[in-house]
Amino acid sequence: QVQLVESGGGLVQAGGSLRLSCTGSGIIFNIARMNWYRQPPGKQRELVATITTTGSADYTNSVKGRFTISRDNAKGTVYLQMNSLKPEDTAVYYCNAIERYNYWGQGTQVTVSS
């Protein structure tokens, strides 16, 4: 059974930092493309950051220079370091793995207060 478990969300003031983690089990992690999505209140889910199996990363424009995605294949974990957080970063953040199929975590809430 595939599981993606996110952690690290919480409440932070604007300008602060958080580090999200997502640990996968039941998948061959090192061949999975890993993504972080977010869904702000009342809005659609959007792709925030993606990282390939070889570590090549890309970001949506609104987080470039502030967020960093990384992965540790040995630990089966992907991270999202979020710095200089803004109130508009408030959302539920979801981990997504594309291996044979498309897998999702349960989400972790990030709230940035002004």
Side-chain angles (χ1 to χ4, degrees):
Q1 183 178 356
V2 175
Q3 275 194 313
L4 298 175
V5 180
E6 299 110 331
S7 61
L11 173 64
V12 65
Q13 287 190 331
S17 298
L18 285 173
R19 188 194 196 203
L20 305 184
S21 300
C22 170
T23 299
S25 60
I27 61 172
I28 306 173
F29 188 86
N30 63 353
I31 68 168
R33 184 182 189 100
M34 300 299 299
N35 305 303
W36 284 100
Y37 282 77
R38 68 185 179 188
Q39 187 164 17
K43 296 185 179 181
Q44 289 191 333
R45 194 174 296 190
E46 64 171 347
L47 178 63
V48 175
T50 183
I51 187 165
T52 67
T53 56
T54 56
S56 178
D58 200 5
Y59 305 88
T60 191
N61 285 339
S62 61
V63 309
K64 282 182 179 177
R66 301 189 297 122
F67 290 12
T68 303
I69 189 172
S70 61
R71 65 191 296 162
D72 185 334
N73 289 338
K75 295 182 178 179
T77 301
V78 62
Y79 304 96
L80 186 67
Q81 177 67 43
M82 305 185 294
N83 299 327
S84 302
L85 283 162
K86 304 176 181 180
E88 52 264 42
D89 295 317
T90 295
V92 178
Y93 284 70
Y94 296 91
C95 176
N96 167 250
I98 302 175
E99 189 226 23
R100 172 180 288 191
Y101 301 110
N102 208 352
Y103 302 102
W104 293 90
Q106 82 287 353
T108 185
Q109 177 70 46
V110 171
T111 303
V112 184
S113 63
S114 57

